[in-house]
Amino acid sequence: MLAAMPPTPPPTPEPGEARVRDRGDACPGALRLHPADDGRLARLRLPAGLLTAGQAKTLAAAAETLGDGRISVTSRGNAELRGLGDDCGAGLAALLSDAGLLPSPTHERVRNIVASPGAGLDGLGYADVQLWARALDTALCAEPRAASLSGRFLFVLDDGRGDVAGLGGDVSLIAGPDGSVLLRLGSRVFRLAAADAVRAALSAALAFLDAAEAAGNGAWRPRELPEGHVPDWAGALARAGITAEPVSPPVPPLPVCPPPAPGPLGDRALHVLAPLGRLTAAQLRALADGAEELRLTPWRGVVVVGAADRLPDLAEHGLVTRPELPSVGVSACTGRPGCAKSLADVRTDAGLVRRGGLPVHYSGCERRCGHPHGTWVDVLATGDDTYLVDGVPTPRTSLPEAVTTARSLPTHTR
């Protein structure tokens, strides 16, 4: 269980053809380590991004003693450790388990739950979906069949403000203003009581597993199921004793709200961003100092609860604390030298950005690992000194100017 697993490149289906997964999901976890050029990689699922202060300090210690001293924040609000040694698996597992970060070794890769990070803090939204996330995590770990979900299956819990609703969830819960919730399952939408939200999400996930087993194509996510194998969503909800009203077309549009800007969040929390999505161990310790809890965000940031007056101190630690800084919205894959597939040192080049604007993601190869959702500037390395900026060939020497221009374009012209 602790051995590194080789990556499994997915086959590309023909247009209109369902994807066939003839191998198991090799998505890395905290116990299934992934080999990379800079050592092993561990990905730790953190439902709703939640870390206690003590858990954050344990993660910082693990990064320093076992890895390269940094913690990457993923686009799902999870944490990655890189540069791990070949024989560190057992030690890492023990550290994480002792800190309460591995409640179920059999389910550790399926705890993919994104929730509105500001829920319960700033007076926005209709429900504290952070509480839903904790209850759903408990329910997932208690259900043996849920361990069969792929490491890519995603639950999204939006408190109604629309900050995470568009992040591509396989099962999405969107809180409503009247104690109701919309359960979104691809093109199907059901309205049900908020009290049934967690049970409904788990029932929907199990219905997908039934459909995937019947389809036999190894689907990891509902969108990969072949035609004629749509999960029996309504039947699963009914069998669970959940009253769910199908929402007929036209389906209500997804609520849309930008992510919280760096700065105060309500009167007892703040939001900061990790430069290029990576925290040093010292930065993570600084974030945990005096905090009630931390919530890693899908925008590669951290909501610090109980430390609303610490922005100046955190700025001194190199964290992004102001919305006008050009580094806001800038992300990059690992790039060289950490990834063998990368064609360039994209993290160095991403650090040359001059002005803010639209989100921008620098990718070392066409896989575009870790790219954001929605509208973003696509910066793709094609060689040591050449890039494509939204498809336009650009030499590395002209990259800062080209990216600045692309980030300033209105979205309707893109």
Side-chain angles (χ1 to χ4, degrees):
M1 181 170 60
L2 301 177
M5 302 292 289
T8 305
T12 302
E14 296 296 324
E17 179 184 340
R19 184 183 292 276
V20 175
R21 302 285 192 183
D22 56 0
R23 298 184 184 181
D25 170 23
C27 196
L31 302 178
R32 175 183 285 181
L33 307 187
H34 173 81
D37 269 18
D38 56 350
R40 308 289 183 179
L41 177 153
R43 183 175 299 155
L44 177 62
R45 270 65 173 188
L46 302 172
L50 179 64
L51 283 169
T52 67
Q55 288 171 337
K57 292 174 181 177
T58 294
L59 201 54
E64 278 186 332
T65 59
L66 301 175
D68 64 3
R70 294 179 179 270
I71 302 92
S72 297
V73 183
T74 76
S75 59
R76 292 183 170 187
N78 291 319
E80 284 185 352
L81 302 178
R82 299 189 68 98
L84 298 168
D86 291 344
D87 57 353
C88 78
L92 176 63
L95 275 175
L96 298 178
S97 182
D98 289 346
L101 290 168
L102 288 177
S104 172
T106 55
H107 291 67
E108 61 100 1
R109 295 191 311 131
V110 307
R111 303 167 66 225
N112 289 305
I113 304 172
V114 172
S116 298
L121 296 175
D122 57 4
L124 302 178
Y126 301 117
D128 189 348
V129 294
Q130 291 282 322
L131 300 179
W132 294 4
R134 298 172 199 186
L136 178 57
D137 183 36
T138 299
L140 275 173
C141 292
E143 170 53 61
R145 284 197 66 213
S148 298
L149 293 169
S150 87
R152 292 166 171 79
F153 194 95
L154 177 63
F155 297 89
V156 167
L157 314 182
D158 192 295
D159 67 2
R161 75 181 70 198
D163 57 343
V164 298
L167 295 185
D170 298 295
V171 173
S172 296
L173 296 170
I174 303 173
D178 53 358
S180 69
V181 61
L182 291 181
L183 171 65
R184 286 183 174 263
L185 306 163
S187 62
R188 298 295 304 278
V189 179
F190 298 87
R191 182 176 283 106
L192 45 96
D196 292 326
V198 169
R199 287 197 303 125
L202 179 59
S203 297
L206 297 180
F208 160 72
L209 288 178
D210 290 338
E213 182 178 351
N217 72 326
W220 294 343
R221 310 183 72 178
R223 69 193 67 169
E224 297 176 357
L225 290 169
E227 188 175 351
H229 287 275
V230 177
D232 181 14
W233 307 119
L237 295 171
R239 288 189 292 274
I242 297 169
T243 300
E245 173 194 356
V247 178
S248 302
V251 172
L254 287 171
V256 178
C257 173
L265 191 65
D267 59 4
R268 66 186 190 95
L270 52 85
H271 180 221
V272 300
L273 299 177
L276 292 181
R278 300 193 79 186
L279 297 166
T280 65
Q283 286 173 330
L284 185 55
R285 288 195 186 93
L287 288 164
D289 187 24
E292 296 174 20
E293 66 182 34
L294 305 181
R295 301 175 183 178
L296 305 191
T297 77
W299 312 289
R300 295 181 168 85
V302 185
V303 169
V304 186
V305 181
D309 59 347
R310 294 194 56 220
L311 278 175
D313 170 54
L314 295 178
E316 290 182 3
H317 280 85
L319 295 157
V320 181
T321 59
R322 304 198 316 273
E324 70 274 13
L325 294 174
S327 52
V328 172
V330 180
S331 58
C333 70
T334 297
R336 286 182 177 173
C339 177
K341 289 183 169 58
S342 182
L343 301 176
D345 181 1
V346 292
R347 300 188 71 82
T348 293
D349 292 341
L352 302 176
V353 68
R354 293 176 180 173
R355 286 210 302 253
L358 288 170
V360 56
H361 185 73
Y362 291 72
S363 303
C365 76
E366 291 186 353
R367 294 184 303 167
R368 295 174 171 84
C369 293
H371 70 77
H373 286 264
T375 302
W376 48 283
V377 176
D378 179 28
V379 183
L380 174 66
T382 55
D384 282 328
D385 296 302
T386 56
Y387 281 84
L388 295 176
V389 178
D390 282 341
V392 178
T394 305
R396 182 177 181 274
T397 53
S398 302
L399 198 56
E401 295 82 2
V403 171
T404 296
T405 299
R407 295 188 81 188
S408 66
L409 291 176
T411 57
H412 69 268
T413 65
R414 304 178 58 77

